[in-house]
Each structure stands twice: as structure tokens, then as C-alpha cells.
Amino acid sequence: MKLFPKLVVAALSLAGLSAHAAELRVLAHSSFSVDKPLLAAFEKETGAKVSIIKAGDAGEMVNKLILTKSNPIADVVFGLDNSLIGKAEQAGALAPMPAELARGGKVGLPGAAAVDYGYVTLNYDKAWFAKNKLPLPKSLNDLTLPAYKNLLAVENPATSSPGLAFLAATVHALGEDKAFALWGKLRDNGVKVSKGWTEAYYTDFSKNGGGRPIVVSYATSPAAEVFYSKEKLSEAPTGNLLLPGTVFRQVEGAALVNGGKEAKLAERFIAFLRSDAVQKDIPTRMWMYPVSERVALDPAFKHAPQPSAHDTPDNATLAAKQRGWIARWTRVVLKSGA
């Protein structure tokens, strides 16, 4: 038998390894981001290729996860939050989470491993309010008054996790009947509804050229405005309206996909997301608070103090009630009071 030269054998061996390298498919929302060198280090350590599948807002992502559950398109999913994980679990789209992966951290997320958390709330454009000499609203009900007509932008709770979170906060604070009566008044007062956070914040919000000076966003958004500004700012150009019924604590996590091909690799990826290196990267990349107790925040976060109170329903209530809430919201807000 003719022997191959050593270099040829080595090349063939490497080619074989490359051809059979595992692929880890990660389903995530459009805001998911990990530092490329960190991701490359994970790939080198595991010998796997990581493919990120972005599926729009978290609400759209969960819908896609459920629609493809008979033939899963991912092995692990990131971006499930406490408003959406119940929907994914009820649909049978998630595999059981090993207890050791979910332990520890400032907050928890049953059924997943909590990776970060933040607060959905109202942001306002400081320059717009100063220019128009309009006082800031002091309650949710103020937003139904003529002075605030056509000023509010929100996201559709059927497709957006911030939209669902904001809806849930209003219901938790006011009760269902009063909350939906409020939403009817907001509709009559010209509330603008967008599919997701990106459209609401970067298209509708007056800070970014839109016509709405109040938008459903995150308590960390003012800090992000300072961090990314080309000028050196001592004050954020936007602020938070932490009104009763407008603050929802959102806990985001990662979970195993039921029927995923690379379960063990997916577990390693979840552990990677909870590692100190990634946890340190999260605050100024995804603008959420890390669950790790060991991570110090960037100085920009002085513009994003955590709210002292929030109106967040428990996970069981969110899982049981959200479908009905969304259906009722759709009738009230999108179907002209039906």
C-alpha cells in the first residue's frame, strides 16, 4: 500500500475534523449580541461552530420557536423572558433545564437560566418637552388627556416582549377592566402601535426623528444614549417616566430547545452566557443588568438607576392570562373599540 506524505495526511485529517465539526444553532431576538472574540473563544474551546438565528423581536422569536417545534431550527434559545417563557413551555417547545445551570444570580427565571434583567418603562424626549413647554405626565391617566394626544408610541404585545410587558404592568396595577378602559382612552387619544421595539424607538420616537416624544422602552435607554453619543454628555437626552403601572421587571434567559440536536453543547453555551466574561459584556452591549453579583457596571449606568418599584405579575399569572390579555388588547386598541 502506498503511504501518503505526512503533510497530506495532516491536511486530510483537518478536513475531516472540519467536515464533522458540530454546529450549535442559537435562536435569539434581534437585539442579541455577544463580543466576537468571546464567541470565537467558545468555538475554539468546544470545537463547534455557533450559528446565530435572529428572529425579530422576542415575541416573534417565540412564535417562530413554537411554529417549528416539530422540526426544531435551533438547539438553544436566548431571549425568553418572564412574559413569554410560559407560552413556550405550554407549547412543548422547551426541554427540561438541568438545575445546576439555573442556580445563582440576582434573579431567577423558572424553566430557563436567567442571563440578564431590565425594566420596561416609558422614556421621554427631554428636548421635545422643553421646546413645547409641556409638563411631564404624572400618571397613566394623564396620557389620555387632550394635551398628550398623539404623543405616545407603544409596541404590539402580540409581537413584542416590551409591548407585552407594558400591557402586563398596566393590568397588574389597575386590574383588567380598568386597564382596558385606559387602553381604550389611549386609542382614542392617538396612541401609535408598532410591531416591535426597534420601530418604536428608532422610527416613532422624536429623539430619533419621529413624532412621538414618549415611547415604551427600557430604563437603561438613557444610559445607552449617553454611552453612544458622539458628544461627551453630562446628562442623558432622554429620561424615564416611572409612573405607577408603567414599570415591568423583565428577566431574560436561555433554555434548551426540545428536540435540539446538540443538547450538551447547548448546555455549555448557556454556562458561557452566565460566565463572568459575558456577564461583564452584557450591560453595554444589550443594555440589560447582568445577573452575576460579581460584575461592576459601566459609569454610564449612573443615568439608569434601577426603579425602586415595579408592577410585574408573577410568572404563573403571565402564563395563564397573557393570551386573553393580548386578544382583548387587540380588540380594544386595533379594532376601534370592538
Side-chain angles (χ1 to χ4, degrees), residues 81-262:
D81 69 9
N82 45 320
S83 72
L84 292 168
I85 191 165
K87 181 178 180 180
E89 287 182 316
Q90 289 173 354
L94 305 181
M97 174 67 62
E100 62 272 14
L101 272 180
R103 287 197 195 103
K106 297 175 184 177
V107 295
L109 183 62
V115 173
D116 58 51
Y117 69 101
Y119 297 86
V120 173
T121 191
L122 294 174
N123 289 176
Y124 70 95
D125 179 354
K126 292 179 178 179
W128 190 97
F129 276 89
K131 179 181 177 181
N132 289 275
K133 297 181 172 56
L134 183 67
L136 292 173
K138 295 181 180 179
S139 70
L140 265 172
N141 192 62
D142 281 358
L143 293 173
T144 70
L145 300 176
Y148 300 95
K149 188 175 181 65
N150 299 330
L151 300 190
L152 174 63
V154 305
E155 300 87 1
N156 189 325
T159 53
S160 165
S161 60
L164 177 55
F166 186 70
L167 168 60
T170 65
V171 172
H172 187 263
L174 302 175
E176 290 190 26
D177 289 341
K178 288 184 179 179
F180 286 105
L182 170 84
W183 277 103
K185 293 177 182 178
L186 290 174
R187 176 205 65 224
D188 293 342
N189 214 33
V191 65
K192 174 73 184 296
V193 179
S194 295
K195 182 177 72 171
W197 177 85
T198 300
E199 295 87 349
Y201 196 83
Y202 288 110
T203 301
D204 299 329
F205 192 30
S206 59
K207 169 63 178 65
N208 296 307
R212 307 287 169 137
I214 305 174
V215 64
V216 172
S217 187
Y218 287 87
T220 52
S221 296
E225 292 285 355
V226 171
F227 185 84
Y228 291 119
S229 175
K230 293 179 182 178
E231 308 168 41
K232 190 172 182 179
L233 301 178
S234 58
E235 182 183 344
T238 62
N240 292 321
L241 281 174
L242 305 175
L243 308 175
T246 68
V247 184
F248 178 100
R249 188 173 73 173
Q250 182 183 52
V251 182
E252 278 193 322
L256 303 173
V257 175
N258 194 12
K261 298 175 182 177
E262 298 289 346

